[in-house]
Amino acid sequence: MGSKVIKVMIVDDHIMMREGIKKLLEFDKSIEVIEQASDGLECLEKIEGVKPDILLLDIDMPQMNGIEVLEKLKEQNNPVKVLVLTVHSEIEYLVKAIDIGASGYILKDSGSAELKNAIQCIMENNPYIQPSLIPALKSRLVVRDIDKEKLEALTKREMEILTQVASGMFNKEIANNLDISERTVKNHISNIFKKIDVSDRTQAAVFAIRNNLINLY
């Protein structure tokens, strides 16, 4: 990441929550809160003008909730990375948010260090799901139908790369592990995404979890 300051927009209907998060995030100067919104509609009105790197998004809000915001951002092909910050530990909310396109999901009772870590992970194109939620997520996802045809379409090398992508490795690390070029890794990932019908690394990770390709615990 170098010295690049991460630009964050906070969307939460409680002003004290927003101000508290702002102070925590800006403490070491690596993150700057460039905008705030109190509900989903205000978020959509403001986001185009400020273009944050990360959208820190609550779920329960008046007028338009966080799930609806996610759906709207997907419709608009907005490239912002979304980290859902919520009180909801129910797995249904997590699965829904990730399926729509959230890059991460973290609970409001998390510590500031974990929140910053989640933001850093997402900025590096790695999904972040609060570890305490992973067992429930696995239980929910493994009961879904195994994507047999998609898995069978993957070559042995593609399966190796998908597993490493889902484990949070960067292209350079994968290239070093497999003794191939980063360009080759990038080409493989593009083919993998097409074969398993996903558009980003977060969705690929969910696919891998759902099909027991990686063990998170």
Side-chain angles (χ1 to χ4, degrees):
M1 290 303 300
S3 59
K4 183 183 183 297
V5 175
I6 301 171
K7 296 177 180 178
V8 172
M9 179 175 177
I10 302 172
V11 187
D12 192 292
D13 58 327
H14 295 101
I15 188 168
M16 287 182 66
M17 176 65 71
R18 296 199 307 271
E19 290 301 322
I21 293 170
K22 182 177 188 294
K23 287 181 179 178
L24 288 172
L25 293 182
E26 294 187 334
F27 182 75
D28 62 4
K29 312 296 185 187
S30 64
I31 298 171
E32 179 186 1
V33 176
I34 59 170
E35 187 57 274
Q36 299 181 36
S38 59
D39 60 58
L41 288 178
E42 187 181 4
C43 168
L44 294 175
E45 287 170 3
K46 289 182 172 181
I47 194 167
E48 284 302 320
V50 295
K51 291 184 167 42
D53 299 312
I54 303 280
L55 183 65
L56 203 54
L57 183 66
D58 189 16
I59 289 181
D60 290 332
M61 296 181 294
Q63 298 196 72
M64 181 182 283
N65 65 40
I67 297 297
E68 291 169 327
V69 170
L70 273 170
E71 289 172 336
K72 199 69 178 175
L73 291 172
K74 185 175 183 180
E75 281 176 25
Q76 297 172 349
N77 292 315
N78 192 308
V80 67
K81 296 176 173 68
V82 179
L83 174 58
V84 173
L85 178 63
T86 179
V87 297
H88 288 292
S89 59
E90 298 91 341
I91 205 64
E92 289 80 9
Y93 286 96
L94 169 55
V95 172
K96 180 72 171 174
I98 295 298
D99 279 348
I100 296 171
S103 297
Y105 195 99
I106 191 168
L107 299 179
K108 286 184 175 180
D109 60 5
S110 303
S112 59
E114 183 168 14
L115 178 56
K116 288 182 179 180
N117 182 43
I119 289 171
Q120 292 285 353
C121 283
I122 290 170
M123 273 302 292
E124 293 166 0
N125 295 316
N126 292 310
Y128 188 92
I129 296 169
Q130 183 159 319
S132 63
L133 299 175
I134 294 292
L137 176 63
K138 283 194 69 176
S139 297
R140 168 56 63 89
L141 295 180
V142 296
V143 300
R144 292 182 172 187
D145 291 336
I146 300 297
D147 300 313
K148 188 176 179 182
E149 289 183 8
K150 293 177 182 177
L151 287 169
E152 288 177 348
L154 297 173
T155 65
K156 183 180 178 182
R157 177 48 57 88
E158 287 170 345
M159 193 76 81
E160 288 176 329
I161 290 173
L162 172 59
T163 302
Q164 294 187 42
V165 167
S167 298
M169 293 185 187
F170 302 120
N171 288 3
K172 186 174 182 179
E173 291 175 283
I174 297 171
N176 290 337
N177 289 342
L178 301 179
D179 197 26
I180 56 179
S181 71
E182 282 189 63
R183 178 183 287 274
T184 300
V185 172
K186 188 175 180 182
N187 289 337
H188 276 307
I189 290 173
S190 178
N191 290 333
I192 290 165
F193 284 7
K194 288 175 185 174
K195 287 183 179 181
I196 66 174
D197 193 28
V198 302
S199 59
D200 58 43
R201 296 171 94 96
T202 303
Q203 292 173 5
V206 170
F207 179 93
I209 294 169
R210 183 169 74 232
N211 290 289
N212 289 322
L213 300 184
I214 59 173
N215 293 314
L216 297 174
Y217 274 77

